[in-house]
Amino acid sequence: NNMGKKTLILIMGLVLIFAAIGACFSVKEESSENEKKESIIDSPFGISIAGFLSNQDYEKSLSLMKEVGAGTARFMSRWGGLHWAQVEPKKGVFDWSIPDRYYFRAKENGLDIFINIYPDAPSWDSSSEYKQEYPNDMEEYLKFVRMAAERYDGDGIEDAPGHPKINTWEVLVELERNYWGKEDASAGGNKWWGGTPEEYADLFVKTYEAIKSANPDATVMTYGANMLANIKKGGVDAITKPLLKEIKRF
């Protein structure tokens, strides 16, 4: 009987040891998988999506971005940028279905999300010939911004389906596009930005504060300058310098 008890105790001890070893391997494998995912997100490289977002290869493109070592997908312009006119086509009526789908797919592929946000006015706010301008209804625009920041902050409160998180926001892009058409934008250049540098500075600060109120950890950037237009067509003196000077004043 004593021998039987000792044998039983020995067997139980071995079972516990093997169970512990198995648990260690399980934790190690899970940790390894998490490390793989984190290594993608921690990559310093990003790719700007332009030209293929509406194609059938979108899913494949996101997968290829991950394969080549990119950790960030940048959504800009009509290729996944966040547009006020698209999301709020009627005042007080919001449709997030398109950006929700794009950003969730990026998250599924382990990619960090960087977007450009645009104040392109819905038809109910403006009938301007310019694609982008200072909003007439600034309060409604800022409501859109705050809702977007809350929807895409990944905190589980009023999130988009799947909880995609936008870590980096860029307010508009390439204000110098006005100078692509002619030397003098006021003489009929590209009708891109209809405001002044001072109005952009005010728009940027208000957008920054609205995003930060919902997601304090977000990075909010000024627009990326178009160097071709700046260097060749006078955009530095006409737009970039006064704009940065005004933001610095804020």
Side-chain angles (χ1 to χ4, degrees):
N1 286 340
N2 287 339
M3 181 64 71
K5 287 182 180 179
K6 289 180 180 178
T7 302
L8 180 60
I9 292 170
L10 178 61
I11 291 172
M12 290 177 65
L14 289 172
V15 168
L16 289 172
I17 290 170
F18 282 118
I21 293 172
C24 288
F25 278 116
S26 176
V27 170
K28 186 175 181 181
E29 286 174 7
E30 186 177 340
S31 175
S32 178
E33 286 301 312
N34 288 335
E35 285 173 7
K36 286 179 184 177
K37 290 179 182 178
E38 286 300 317
S39 68
I40 295 170
I41 294 174
D42 288 343
S43 167
F45 302 106
I47 295 178
S48 182
I49 293 177
F52 59 78
L53 193 60
S54 61
N55 297 342
Q56 294 179 352
D57 287 337
Y58 173 53
E59 296 286 345
K60 182 179 179 182
S61 298
L62 290 175
S63 178
L64 289 172
M65 288 168 67
K66 183 170 65 172
E67 284 183 26
V68 299
T72 301
R74 178 194 180 207
F75 293 87
M76 62 174 290
S77 197
R78 63 183 179 275
W79 302 291
L82 194 58
H83 296 264
W84 182 27
Q86 182 185 66
V87 171
E88 193 178 4
K90 294 181 181 180
K91 188 171 182 178
V93 178
F94 296 87
D95 179 1
W96 302 92
S97 58
I98 293 176
D100 280 359
R101 184 169 68 253
Y102 289 153
Y103 307 154
F104 177 63
R105 291 287 179 259
K107 182 192 174 185
E108 276 192 320
N109 280 274
L111 295 165
D112 200 6
I113 304 170
F114 171 169
I115 69 146
N116 287 74
I117 186 168
Y118 298 88
D120 46 354
S123 58
W124 54 263
D125 182 70
S126 172
S127 58
S128 171
E129 61 183 334
Y130 285 91
K131 293 181 177 69
Q132 310 290 335
E133 64 177 354
Y134 190 86
N136 290 318
D137 192 337
M138 178 59 77
E139 285 307 310
E140 191 67 18
Y141 163 74
L142 292 175
K143 177 183 176 182
F144 151 72
V145 175
R146 286 189 292 269
M147 289 176 68
E150 179 58 51
R151 190 174 187 84
Y152 301 118
D153 64 358
D155 67 354
I157 302 172
E158 298 181 358
D159 283 357
H163 312 289
K165 182 178 181 181
I166 297 173
N167 294 308
T168 308
W169 304 69
E170 181 179 341
V171 183
L172 238 164
V173 69
E174 298 174 345
L175 263 63
E176 302 84 4
R177 285 190 192 182
N178 286 10
Y179 287 77
W180 288 2
K182 295 184 179 181
E183 292 292 331
D184 182 4
S186 63
N190 191 310
K191 302 291 186 182
W192 175 245
W193 167 247
T196 65
E198 291 75 20
E199 284 178 326
Y200 175 83
D202 183 70
L203 173 74
F204 170 76
V205 171
K206 285 182 168 68
T207 304
Y208 174 95
E209 291 173 345
I211 292 171
K212 286 287 194 176
S213 70
N215 183 4
D217 296 328
T219 298
V220 186
M221 303 163 54
T222 62
Y223 78 98
N226 180 281
M227 296 315 296
L228 176 64
N230 264 339
I231 294 170
K232 293 189 175 181
K233 309 219 178 214
V236 169
D237 292 329
I239 296 178
T240 311
K241 286 182 179 178
L243 183 152
L244 293 177
K245 182 179 179 181
E246 190 68 13
I247 289 177
K248 186 177 180 181
R249 186 180 69 80
F250 278 104

